[in-house]
Amino acid sequence: MTAELISGTQIRKEILAELSEEVRQMKAKHGRGPGLVTILVGENPASISYVTLKIKTAEELGFHEVQDSQPVDISEADLLALIDKYNNDPTIDGILVQLPIPKHIDEKKVLNAIDPDKDVDGFHPVNVGRLMIGGSEVKYPPCTPAGIQELIVRSGTETSGAEVVVVGRSNIVGKPIAMMMAQKGAGANSTVTIVHTRTKDLAAHCKRADILIVAAGVPDLVKPEWIKPGATVIDVGVNRVGVNETTGKAILKGDVDFEAAKKIAGKITPVPGGVGPMTIAMLMKNTVKSAWLRLA
């Protein structure tokens, strides 16, 4: 048996096509599309690359996109004042401060300064609380977990009553996706166990999973014998394990031994091309939702 491949690249295309139609309808009805500002502090190459992709995606969808680049030595007070300016800008529906930011600035203060109703990354404590409550309270689920849930649902995996095991307990992925899968509603209603690298008999927990979500940041952590035959495996890990001597590009590995696991699993995401492409798509989805809420 070879597992069905869950392509984040393909599902991303489907989501962006849906969002493009929503933006078209929004412009026809309200005379404007969603507004997104991306604030970049300094010149971190990885951040620049990521922000460039976000800008490109937003512009292709027809967003009003503002790129606000700031010098690496901007003061904390000035950055907070800049965020406040966009909090009060009626043309902006989503505010994104690209992380990491320079060490002289308190990251927590910056994230907490963003208006929760414009926090399309879903990191503000208010939005974390909304996620915990669930249901209609949820406005902006964090983008990577939201992308994971979309991959599970759109791959046709049954979630209601399913045993879900989440390997990893980060605030960005592990904890929120566990909470989302445990909520009442479509694409959820699961029984969820959170485990991590210090869990006793980690393999036995993974083996129980109908849906195994691995976000531990350890290359090839999950072995094929840890996987229940026919399970859906979502590999969130993106680990740089070397450099291709021919292309000069990084060699990436997931947290799951993919080549072996695909012979056991029923469905599986690749690395790259699985969870990765979904994150920006879900950021765009949150921004479109924010715009609809503001225009209602």
Side-chain angles (χ1 to χ4, degrees), residues 12 16 36 38 40 45-61 63 65 67 96 98 276-281 283-284:
R12 173 186 182 271
L16 293 182
L36 174 67
T38 49
L40 176 65
S47 293
I48 290 172
S49 175
Y50 198 41
V51 164
T52 300
L53 186 53
K54 290 175 180 175
I55 294 167
K56 181 174 181 288
T57 306
E59 289 178 342
E60 287 174 350
L61 289 174
F63 284 24
E65 214 290 330
Q67 171 54 34
L96 170 72
Q98 182 63 42
M278 297 295 293
T279 301
I280 291 177
L283 173 69
M284 300 299 136

Side-chain angles (χ1 to χ4, degrees), residues 230-251:
T232 293
V233 179
I234 307 294
D235 189 351
V236 189
V238 181
N239 306 289
R240 289 169 173 79
V241 296
V243 177
N244 185 307
E245 293 181 1
T246 303
T247 65
K249 292 183 178 180
I251 299 171

Side-chain angles (χ1 to χ4, degrees), residues 37 56 58 65 100 130 135 166 170 190 201 205 233 244 246 252 292:
V37 60
K56 181 174 181 288
E65 214 290 330
R130 288 168 170 166
V166 179
S170 72
S190 304
D201 205 354
H205 286 285
V233 179
N244 185 307
T246 303
L252 304 178
W292 280 124

